[in-house]
Structures are given as structure tokens and as C-alpha cells.
């Protein structure tokens, strides 16, 4: 089938909204700029991504443990980490319309992109991205706290407790998934850049002499994860960040960039954070962050390799990669029409199976309903008996369901159903009693 796809953000945003992947937040009140809610299907897709990541990088390995830390930490954490002082973006303001921009994202020698003013912009000033809040009933400097700007700090400050309670030995990692907050100057491009976003990352603690080996190892593991997500390698760019451009804590960074419809931009990052953070926390807290090698008795501050994965950007990239428009037959006489299909990796698809009784007749529902309930115990299963079967197939294609099971009037006699494959659209007849075995081979 010829693929006629040109995936645009307009198409993807429209499909996401219509099918319930992602839609504007607070919509009944006119929304809130750059705030998005995951709908029923988006929530499943996001969870499947997070669970697959957790399994791959945490539970299936012996050298990794997970934590789930508080979002609001002692403000001293962010002072020690350098975020209060240095977690900034350069901000400029149009002298006429006062729109604010990131100085590193626009050409300040050109007119304002919003109002066309040619009189220029204010001088760049550093704008801190940490989200400030106040704890308790007084709003003064003594009650200032921050919503976490990255997950990493909890993995650093919890290291002594994790080492003590888990008995892990270097090299090993601590992983976390969760929300982060940044007061971005210019959020935008759907869920690409928002002020509240989801992150999954780990800090991998190593002996300093081994950092280059581990850096290469984790880069390969990140590539393998991207293969699993169904990303074509030609849509990725591995960008070595030069001296002077890296975050304040990093000695080497590779940004993994993706070719979004709005340009080549960051997807994930891999950083060698050295002992910067542990050293700073040791100085500020007075707690000894050194590790003693049980074999050699060497005492040292572990160094850290940090692979970091934006969850929302993974959802966006996965949808972009999966989105296909192709000419598909609509009749035996060779007529065709364009079908939209999300060719999601099966492991990530929100529904794995859809049960579609050919009509709403009670005898079909009586067979199809319990069948859906049965399969649902093993795989996420949708049930739909509205509209024509052709329209229902198209709907399932659009949400990426790998298999549709049609229960028809023959099923009542031969106790078999028709299973249709999302990608090839080929149909096979399978005995109802054999369905679990059949799907085990295809889905597990
Ligand atoms: N602990 C390292 C760290 O936080 P980062 O490059 O600042 O590194 C990590 O952010 C990842 O978080 C990025 O690679 C990106 O995927 C995602 N990310 C960063 N800012 C974001 C935002 N405003 N909205 C959505 N995702 C964002």
C-alpha cells in the first residue's frame, strides 16, 4: 500500500484531540496556554511507554533500583545543585509589544516576529526557570520552596539511604519517573515544550576511571530504546554539545535530537555529570557522600552518567513516527480511499485488540461481550458495536489497535472469528478457543 503521509503538527494535534490522546487542558474555561491533558488513549500510550522503560532499565536489570521522591524538596537542594543561581535562559523583550523571547531562539537583529517592530529588543537578562512557591501560610523569603526542575537531585541526595537499604555496589543506578516544572519563557509546539512535563531518567554511579566506557554503553542503550519505540534512525541526530554550551554540571553531553515537523530539536540527553552534584551536596549538607569499595577499600565520590528521557517528547515522537496515510481498498472492484493508520509498536498501542460484533443483534453481543471480557484479562481490549464495520476498522486503525476481531453470524455456528491485522489488513479465521494462544504468539 503506498504511503502518502506528510505528517504535520496540525494533523497530529487534530487526531490527538478527536481520538482522545491529548487535548487542551481546562478546555471549558477557554483552556490555559500550553497546558495539555492526556485523554483515555494518551494515558494508556504514556503508561505503556513508562512501563516499558521501567522494565527495560530498572526491573529487568540487577544494577538498577527505582525511587519516587517528593516534588518539593528542601530549597537547599537547589542552592547546592546550582539551579537557584544558574538554571537560567537568556530573556529579551520586544521594546514595542513587550512580548518575551528566548534570546538564543530568535535573531535579535531582525524585527519582532509578533508585532514587526524594528526598534529591537531589550538587552538579554538571565531568567531563572525554577518554579517558586511558598510553604505554609506566610509568603516571605523564609517559606520559599521550588517545584523540582529535574528528577536528578533526589537521586543524589537519597544516595546514602539507597546504598544503605539496597546494598547495591558501584556501578549501579537509581531511576525515577515523574513530573518536573520549569517556568519556560516560550513554551509551545504542542507537548514538546510545556511548563509542567514528565521525565524519566537515571543517575548511574561509577568509578571515575570508567566514565568513557559507561558513557558509550548508555548511548548504545538509548539507541536500542529508540529502536523499540519504532523511530527511524534517519530521523535522529546525535549532537555532541560543545564546551561552553553544556549545562553547568556536565563535562560531556550528547543531545539526541529528533526531526520534528517544526525542526530538529532535542529529544533526550546523555550527560557525564562527574562528581559535581555529590560534591556540592557533601559540601552543603556536611554528609559524607563518599563510597567505599568493599574489595579495595578505596574511598571516593562516585561519578555519574545520566541518560534522560522526556516522556511527553517520547509520546510526541512515537505518534509522529507511527502516523501514516495510505491508499487502501474499499471494495472488491478496486476502489480505494485514504486510510489514516497509527503504526504504533504493538507493545505501546493503547488497545491491543478490538472486538467488533458485525451487528448489534443480541445473539452476537451475547458471544462478543464475554469474549471481550475474557481477552481483557490479558490484553487491553476495546469493544465497539456502533456504525458500519468498515468505519469501525478505520477508527481502530486511527488509534493504532493491532488486531480487530469480528464476530459474525457464522461465528454462532463454527465458534470462530475473523482477525484483521492493522498493518497488512489481511484477515484470518481463528477458533474462539484458540484466540489466547494465537494472540500470545503475536503480542507477548
Ligand atoms: N536531569 C537532566 C535534565 O533535566 P534537560 O536536558 O534539562 O536535562 C531532560 O531535560 C529532558 O526533559 C529533555 O531531553 C527533554 O526530553 C525534556 N524536557 C526538558 N524541558 C522540557 C519542557 N519544557 N517540556 C517538555 N519536555 C522537556
Amino acid at each position: 500500500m503506498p504511503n502518502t503521509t506528510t505528517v504535520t503538527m496540525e494533523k497530529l494535534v487534530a487526531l490527538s484531540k478527536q481520538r482522545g490522546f491529548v487535548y487542551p487542558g481546562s478546555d471549558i474555561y477557554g483552556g490555559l496556554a500550553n497546558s495539555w491533558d492526556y485523554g483515555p488513549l494518551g494515558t494508556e500510550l504514556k503508561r505503556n511507554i513508562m512501563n516499558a522503560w521501567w522494565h527495560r532499565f530498572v526491573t529487568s536489570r540487577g544494577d538498577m533500583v527505582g525511587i519516587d521522591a517528593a516534588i518539593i524538596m528542601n530549597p537547599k537542594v537547589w542552592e547546592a545543585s546550582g539551579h537557584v543561581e544558574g538554571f537560567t535562559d537568556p530573556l529579551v523583550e520586544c521594546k514595542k509589544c513587550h512580548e518575551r523571547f528566548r534570546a538564543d531562539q530568535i535573531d535579535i537583529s531582525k524585527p519582532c516576529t509578533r508585532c514587526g517592530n524594528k526598534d529591537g529588543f531589550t538587552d538579554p537578562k538571565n531568567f531563572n526557570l525554577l518554579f517558586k512557591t511558598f510553604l505554609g501560610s506566610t509568603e516571605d523569603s523564609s517559606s520559599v520552596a521550588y517545584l523540582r526542575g529535574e528528577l536528578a537531585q533526589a537521586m543524589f541526595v537519597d544516595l546514602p539511604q539507597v546504598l544503605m537499604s539496597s546494598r547495591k555496589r558501584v556501578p549501579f543506578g537509581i531511576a525515577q519517573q515523574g513530573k518536573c516544572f520549569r517556568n519556560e519563557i516560550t513554551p509551545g509546539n504542542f507537548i514538546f515544550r510545556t511548563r509542567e512535563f514528565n521525565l524519566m531518567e537515571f543517575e548511574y554511579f561509577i568509578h571515575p576511571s570508567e566514565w568513557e566506557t559507561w558513557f558509550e554503553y548508555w548511548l548504545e542503550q538509548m539507541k536500542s530504546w529508540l529502536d523499540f519505540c519504532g523511530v527511524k534512525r534517519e530521523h535522529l541526530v546525535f549532537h555532541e554539545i560543545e564546551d561552553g554550551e553544556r549545562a553547568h554540571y556536565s563535562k560531556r553531553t550528547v543531545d539526541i535530537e529528533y526531526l520534528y515537523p517544526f525542526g530538529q530539536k532535542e529529544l533526550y540527553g546523555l550527560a557525564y555529570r562527574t562528581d559535581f552534584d555529590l560534591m556540592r551536596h557533601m559540601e552543603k549538607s556536611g554528609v559524607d557522600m563518599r563510597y567505599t569499595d568493599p574489595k579495595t577499600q578505596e574511598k571516593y565520590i562516585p561519578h555519574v552518567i545520566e541518560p534522560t528521557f522526556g516522556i511527553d517528547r517520547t509520546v510526541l515522537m512515537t505518534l509522529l513516527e507511527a502516523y501514516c496515510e495510505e491508499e487502501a481498498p474499499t471494495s472488491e472492484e478496486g476502489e480505494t480511499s485514504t486510510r489514516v493508520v497509527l503504526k504504533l509498536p504493538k507493545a505501546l498501542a493503547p488497545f491491543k485488540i478490538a472486538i467488533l460484533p458485525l451487528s448489534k443483534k443480541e445473539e452476537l453481543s451475547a458471544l462478543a461481550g464475554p469474549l471481550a471480557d475474557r481477552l481483557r484479562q490479558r490484553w487491553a481490549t476495546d469493544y465497539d458495536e456502533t456504525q458500519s464495520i468498515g468505519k469501525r476498522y478505520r477508527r481502530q486503525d486511527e488509534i493504532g489497535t493491532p488486531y480487530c476481531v469480528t464476530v459474525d453470524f457464522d461465528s454462532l455456528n463454527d465458534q470462530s472469528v475473523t482477525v484483521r491485522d492493522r498493518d497488512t489488513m489481511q484477515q484470518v479465521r481463528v477458533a474462539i478457543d484458540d484466540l489466547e494462544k494465537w494472540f500470545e504468539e503475536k503480542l507477548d
Side-chain angles (χ1 to χ4, degrees):
M1 278 159 286
N3 182 347
T4 55
T5 308
T6 328
V7 58
T8 61
M9 287 307 288
E10 288 72 26
K11 283 180 187 175
L12 195 81
V13 173
L15 180 120
S16 294
K17 183 174 176 181
Q18 196 197 356
R19 295 302 184 200
F21 282 94
V22 179
Y23 32 64
S26 319
D27 202 33
I28 62 166
Y29 290 103
L32 173 71
N34 301 296
S35 142
W36 300 96
D37 290 349
Y38 283 87
L41 296 185
T43 303
E44 293 303 321
L45 173 60
K46 183 159 75 100
R47 270 174 193 255
N48 290 343
I49 289 170
M50 291 168 71
N51 290 343
W53 186 94
W54 196 259
H55 176 72
R56 171 178 287 248
F57 292 117
V58 186
T59 46
S60 71
R61 301 181 58 111
D63 60 349
M64 201 78 86
V65 290
I67 61 167
D68 189 0
I71 285 177
I72 301 175
M73 304 173 79
N74 189 317
K76 286 182 186 154
V77 169
W78 303 105
E79 286 162 24
S81 69
H83 283 77
V84 171
E85 191 191 341
F87 193 45
T88 58
D89 276 338
L91 176 142
V92 291
E93 194 174 301
C94 168
K95 285 185 177 161
K96 189 165 174 215
C97 72
H98 302 291
E99 180 78 3
R100 292 171 155 207
F101 299 93
R102 260 175 69 171
D104 56 342
Q105 286 182 344
I106 58 163
D107 184 348
I108 51 174
S109 65
K110 292 205 170 136
C112 170
T113 48
R114 180 165 177 253
C115 71
N117 164 43
K118 293 185 184 138
D119 294 344
F121 299 87
T122 55
D123 289 336
K125 67 172 185 200
N126 285 334
F127 177 77
N128 195 291
L129 301 183
L130 281 181
F131 248 103
K132 232 184 225 178
T133 187
F134 298 96
L135 296 183
S137 56
T138 42
E139 293 196 4
D140 60 30
S141 58
S142 66
S143 60
V144 164
Y146 306 96
L147 305 187
R148 66 183 174 203
E150 63 167 1
L151 298 178
Q153 292 310 319
M155 276 88 99
F156 296 127
V157 302
D158 286 1
L159 177 66
Q161 305 188 70
V162 172
L163 273 174
M164 185 265 293
S165 58
S166 74
R167 297 168 169 269
K168 288 286 167 208
R169 299 282 170 255
V170 171
F172 86 105
I174 309 181
Q176 199 177 183
Q177 300 180 326
K179 290 244 172 185
C180 289
F181 302 82
R182 295 182 190 177
N183 208 356
E184 298 280 359
I185 300 166
T186 47
N189 287 321
F190 193 36
I191 52 174
F192 172 77
R193 192 184 301 285
T194 48
R195 294 194 170 108
E196 166 187 343
F197 60 95
N198 301 281
L199 197 57
M200 41 196 185
E201 68 186 8
F202 48 90
E203 310 306 312
Y204 198 76
F205 299 96
I206 53 163
H207 189 277
S209 63
E210 294 178 346
W211 81 266
E212 275 150 318
T213 311
W214 283 113
F215 196 96
E216 294 310 322
Y217 171 82
W218 284 116
L219 189 55
E220 287 310 308
Q221 295 302 311
M222 292 178 90
K223 287 179 187 170
S224 162
W225 162 257
L226 286 161
D227 290 341
F228 165 81
C229 292
V231 191
K232 291 178 201 67
R233 280 285 168 98
E234 65 264 31
H235 294 169
L236 296 168
V237 177
F238 295 85
H239 179 182
E240 188 77 45
I241 306 296
E242 287 167 25
D243 290 351
E245 300 290 317
R246 289 189 292 270
H248 59 278
Y249 49 71
S250 176
K251 200 163 165 188
R252 183 179 174 201
T253 298
V254 172
D255 274 356
I256 302 179
E257 297 175 345
Y258 178 73
L259 303 181
Y260 301 91
F262 45 85
Q264 177 185 323
K265 295 194 186 296
E266 182 180 339
L267 173 66
Y268 298 155
L270 175 65
Y272 170 39
R273 288 182 84 131
T274 67
D275 57 357
F276 177 89
D277 300 88
L278 291 178
M279 185 79 99
R280 293 285 287 255
H281 288 305
M282 189 157 105
E283 281 163 16
K284 186 98 182 163
S285 69
V287 172
D288 191 352
M289 292 288 190
R290 286 175 302 168
Y291 169 79
T292 307
D293 187 302
K295 282 197 189 128
T296 64
Q297 299 306 311
E298 185 190 356
K299 225 175 177 155
Y300 62 94
I301 297 180
H303 280 220
V304 170
I305 305 291
E306 178 193 66
T308 175
F309 308 69
I311 296 176
D312 309 281
R313 288 186 193 178
T314 310
V315 170
L316 175 57
M317 168 206 72
T318 306
L319 288 171
L320 287 166
E321 285 293 310
Y323 186 97
C324 262
E325 285 171 13
E326 54 188 29
E327 283 305 303
T330 44
S331 72
E332 308 238 314
E333 288 74 48
E335 284 167 301
T336 64
S337 70
T338 307
R339 77 163 182 151
V340 172
V341 51
L342 281 188
K343 294 191 174 175
L344 290 168
K346 289 174 192 171
L348 300 184
F351 287 118
K352 314 295 183 221
I353 304 165
I355 304 291
L356 313 174
L358 198 59
S359 85
K360 282 187 185 163
K361 289 248 165 55
E362 226 178 285
E363 59 263 49
L364 291 190
S365 314
L367 185 59
L371 177 59
D373 286 338
R374 204 177 95 193
L375 294 177
R376 219 170 255 140
Q377 306 313 310
R378 298 278 302 274
W379 301 282
T381 301
D382 197 10
Y383 182 88
D384 187 3
E385 56 181 18
T386 56
Q387 297 188 305
S388 73
I389 192 73
K391 283 197 174 135
R392 281 183 276 162
Y393 281 153
R394 290 294 162 97
R395 181 178 176 277
Q396 294 298 333
D397 288 345
E398 277 194 23
I399 64 174
T401 308
Y403 297 104
C404 288
V405 173
T406 309
V407 178
D408 55 26
F409 290 98
D410 287 342
S411 308
L412 300 174
N413 301 319
D414 66 4
Q415 292 297 307
S416 295
V417 288
T418 302
V419 183
R420 172 188 179 269
D421 182 295
R422 174 194 72 193
D423 299 338
T424 62
M425 298 200 293
Q426 277 174 355
Q427 305 191 359
V428 289
R429 202 81 185 155
V430 181
I432 290 175
D433 283 347
D434 293 342
L435 275 175
E436 271 92 348
K437 199 164 158 286
W438 196 89
F439 282 124
E440 261 165 34
E441 278 169 25
K442 304 283 180 187
L443 290 168
D444 291 349

